[in-house]
Every structure is written in C-alpha cells, then in structure tokens.
C-alpha cells in the first residue's frame, strides 16, 4: 500500500510525499517500519522526519547511501539545479530545516565557520541566533555543512523554531535572573510570547541573553542553554561527515534559530572536525545575477567574537 501523505507545492513542481508501509508492496526497500519518499526534481528521495520542523534527505531511493560506494554531489547536481532551486528553497522555508546527508562536494562557495569557544567564556555562536541578527537585511537561510574529513565533529548544533526557543529561555530562566532589573518589568507570559513577532522576540531574547551572560559564569550559561535545548525540543543529532543543514533564517514561513551546543562541560583540547557555511540564496546565484558584496561583508562581520548577534534591535 502506498499512501500519499502530503502535497507541498503546486503539482507542476513535482513535489510530493508518499509513505511506504511495511504491510505493503514497497516495504522491502527500506529498513524503517514506515519510510517516506519525497518526489522531487524528477527523482525519488528517501527521507525521514525526526522533528516536525526537520526533513532529512538520506539519498536517492535505490542508490547506495554508503559514502565509499556511491560518492555523489546530488545537492548541486540535482536539488540545486536552476530549474529546481526555488522549489527546494521553498521546501526549506516551509519546513524549518532540511538536512542532506552523504553529499560529496568541494563547491568553492563554502567557507570556514568563524568563532571559537573557550573554557572561560562562550563564543557568540553558543547563544541562539539567526544569521544577520543585527542588520536590516538577513539571509533567507543559512547552510551549515560538515565536510568529509578525517576528524569527526563532536560538538552539536542545536536548532529550534524561534518562538519555541524564546519560550524555553523564559521557562528555564533562574528566578534570580527573571527578577533582575533588565527583566523584572517584562511581560514574559507564554500567551504574550506566542503573539510576538520576530522583532519583539529578538528584543526579549536579547535582554535574556545579555542577563545570562552578565550573571552566569561560562559553564553556568552552558548548563542553562542545555536546559533550553531540551525545553525547546531542539534538533541536535550528531553531525555526519558529508552532511549539509539548510536552516530557515528570514522568510515568510517558519523562522529558526541555531547555536553551537556543548552537551558536556567544555574543557578544551579535544580534536574536533570543522564546519563550513554559506548563505546559499545570496551566494549561489543563477546566471546573470551578481553577489551583493556589501551584504556579504556585513554578514561576515557579525561572525567574529568582537561583534554580537544579540545586540540592540
């Protein structure tokens, strides 16, 4: 039995989900009790949904997902081809985060993720943020990638919807911080937060984050944000080599936030694989389009620890 479980866009975009039931004809192809298949770009993709706001693309149906057996840059060669690119971007907009596993690519548009954490203080990337937080123009989404490399990535990247993050930050906030002068006059009820737009959420989140930075030591702040991760039901599966995560950042649908998330006390001195990133919508352009270098320079300037993702809004 094949059951259609969702039509994401207009039929001419050829984007549809089906579910292969273990009791039915398609069950033998997949090990999961119920595997979803995404029909997109004239291909069938094996996918799963570990969170309501996450779609994981594991690879094409019928193609080995073993890195050594089937090296492929299906991201650029299929999903991001000009004729499918906007439809893929819409999928990110409407989902929250789309993860592409086992992508073999050395595309020149990626660059190293900046910012490093120390034992004594948190890097800016350890606080929940959207890219372009302090500027008037934000990238549509951010693509963060773990390249295929000798060293695995041991530090998680927590990702959750913006509203859920701010609600969780309030919920987990120690009482002595909630009554601090910066926050005592703020209405932080769940009903009020649920009605806030992104600008209001950013303002309240900035107040909370600056209070946490001021009042808690580094490991106290990291412990607090681990509680926030859990309360927000954040996605923080370990990074796989060859994995790209497209995280909705500024769009008309769902807005996400992300952070570098240490799941144990940060003691330093541990070998760790590196990440790369790009703002794909703004940097991977169609023929005839030109990169807005001033925008890219402004976004890059936020990534050093001298700037602050959570400055005044």
């Amino acid at each position: 039995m094949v059951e259609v479980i969702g039509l994401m866009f207009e039929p001419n975009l050829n984007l549809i989900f089906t579910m292969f039931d273990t009791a039915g004809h398609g069950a033998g192809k997949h090990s999961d009790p119920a595997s979803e298949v995404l029909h997109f770009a004239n291909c069938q993709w094996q996918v799963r949904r570990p969170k309501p706001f996450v779609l994981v693309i594991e690879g094409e149906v019928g193609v080995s997902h073993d890195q050594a057996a089937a090296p492929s840059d299906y991201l650029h060669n299929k999903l991001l081809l000009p004729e499918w690119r906007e439809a893929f971007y819409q999928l990110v907009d409407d989902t929250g985060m789309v993860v592409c596993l086992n992508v073999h690519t050395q595309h020149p548009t990626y660059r190293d993720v900046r910012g490093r954490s120390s034992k004594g203080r948190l890097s800016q990337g350890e606080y929940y943020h959207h890219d372009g937080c302090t500027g008037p123009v934000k990238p549509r989404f951010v693509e963060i990638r773990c390249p295929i490399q000798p060293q695995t990535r041991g530090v998680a990247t927590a990702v959750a919807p913006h509203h859920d993050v701010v609600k969780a930050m309030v919920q987990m906030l120690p009482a002595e911080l909630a009554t601090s002068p910066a926050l005592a006059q703020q209405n932080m009820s769940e009903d009020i937060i649920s009605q806030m737009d992104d600008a209001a959420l950013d303002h309240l989140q900035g107040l909370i984050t600056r209070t946490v930075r001021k009042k808690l030591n580094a490991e106290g702040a990291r412990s607090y944000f681990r509680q926030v991760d859990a309360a927000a039901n954040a996605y923080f599966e370990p990074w796989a080599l060859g994995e790209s995560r497209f995280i909705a950042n500024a769009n008309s649908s769902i807005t996400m936030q992300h952070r570098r998330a240490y799941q144990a006390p940060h003691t330093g001195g541990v070998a760790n694989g590196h990440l790369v990133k790009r703002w794909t919508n703004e940097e991977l352009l169609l023929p005839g389009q030109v990169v807005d270098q001033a925008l890219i320079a402004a976004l890059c300037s936020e990534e050093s620890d001298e700037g602050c993702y959570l400055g005044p809004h």
Side-chain angles (χ1 to χ4, degrees):
M1 177 183 71
V2 178
E3 178 187 0
V4 176
I5 62 172
L7 181 62
M8 301 297 295
F9 300 109
E10 296 298 324
N12 64 335
L13 290 180
N14 191 27
L15 181 56
I16 194 170
F17 287 101
T18 60
M19 180 170 65
F20 286 76
D21 195 318
T22 52
H25 180 71
K29 293 184 179 181
H30 307 293
S31 59
D32 294 337
S35 296
E36 293 181 38
V37 172
L38 170 67
H39 296 256
F40 180 76
N42 295 325
C43 297
Q44 292 184 325
W45 305 93
Q46 185 173 328
V47 301
R48 56 185 171 87
R49 287 188 175 275
K51 301 279 185 184
F53 54 85
V54 180
L55 176 72
V56 177
I57 300 175
E58 297 182 332
E60 283 192 71
V61 173
V63 177
S64 172
H65 303 160
D66 185 295
Q67 289 186 0
S72 170
D73 187 1
Y74 69 81
L75 178 60
H76 296 92
N77 295 339
K78 295 190 177 182
L79 298 179
L80 291 178
L81 286 176
E83 60 267 34
W84 299 109
R85 192 173 300 173
E86 180 56 32
F88 181 75
Y89 290 174
Q90 290 177 28
L91 180 60
V92 179
D93 287 342
D94 290 345
T95 303
M97 180 168 72
V98 175
V99 177
C100 297
L101 298 179
N102 193 28
V103 174
H104 292 242
T105 186
Q106 295 182 331
H107 201 279
T109 53
Y110 295 105
R111 62 189 174 280
D112 285 341
V113 170
R114 299 183 185 180
R116 296 292 181 267
S117 303
S118 69
K119 291 182 289 184
R121 67 188 183 104
L122 276 65
S123 103
Q124 299 297 340
E126 289 187 70
Y127 302 101
Y128 273 105
H129 62 279
H130 354 255
D131 279 28
C133 183
T134 60
V137 180
K138 300 173 176 61
R140 183 174 178 179
F141 50 80
V142 58
E143 179 191 352
I144 307 176
R145 173 168 175 76
C146 185
I148 295 173
Q149 57 192 298
Q151 179 64 52
T152 58
R153 175 76 178 175
V155 180
T157 298
V159 184
H162 194 192
H163 267 98
D164 294 348
V165 168
V166 178
K167 287 180 183 179
M169 289 177 68
V170 170
Q171 180 184 349
M172 296 295 105
L173 195 63
E176 62 272 20
L177 271 61
T179 57
S180 65
L183 297 174
Q185 302 304 315
Q186 299 294 317
N187 187 335
M188 298 189 290
S189 69
E190 186 170 328
D191 287 344
I192 292 296
I193 294 173
S194 66
Q195 298 172 33
M196 288 181 174
D197 60 17
D198 284 343
L201 287 171
D202 282 340
H203 176 72
L204 177 58
Q205 185 177 36
L207 292 175
I208 296 172
T209 299
R210 290 193 291 275
T211 301
V212 168
R213 294 180 70 188
K214 182 178 179 180
K215 300 293 186 180
L216 300 180
N217 63 24
E219 284 311 313
R222 290 185 176 112
S223 176
Y224 165 73
F225 278 107
R226 283 193 284 271
Q227 296 176 59
V228 172
D229 294 341
N233 191 30
Y235 178 92
F236 49 85
E237 287 192 14
W239 281 96
L241 299 181
E243 172 182 359
S244 279
R245 299 180 183 180
F246 291 82
I247 304 170
N249 185 68
N251 49 53
S252 59
S253 299
I254 187 171
T255 296
M256 308 295 290
Q257 288 194 316
H258 60 283
R259 76 177 195 93
R260 182 186 303 125
Y262 292 92
Q263 296 306 303
H266 179 45
T267 57
V270 179
N272 197 40
H274 73 283
L275 299 176
V276 297
K277 69 180 290 187
R278 66 182 175 187
W279 299 292
T280 316
N281 181 66
E282 289 75 22
E283 295 184 280
L284 186 65
L285 302 182
L286 297 173
Q289 294 180 321
V290 178
V291 173
D292 184 340
Q293 296 293 351
L295 171 62
I296 300 305
L299 295 173
C300 286
S301 70
E302 289 191 346
E303 296 186 331
S304 73
D305 285 339
E306 297 303 316
C308 180
Y309 290 116
L310 295 154
H313 291 271

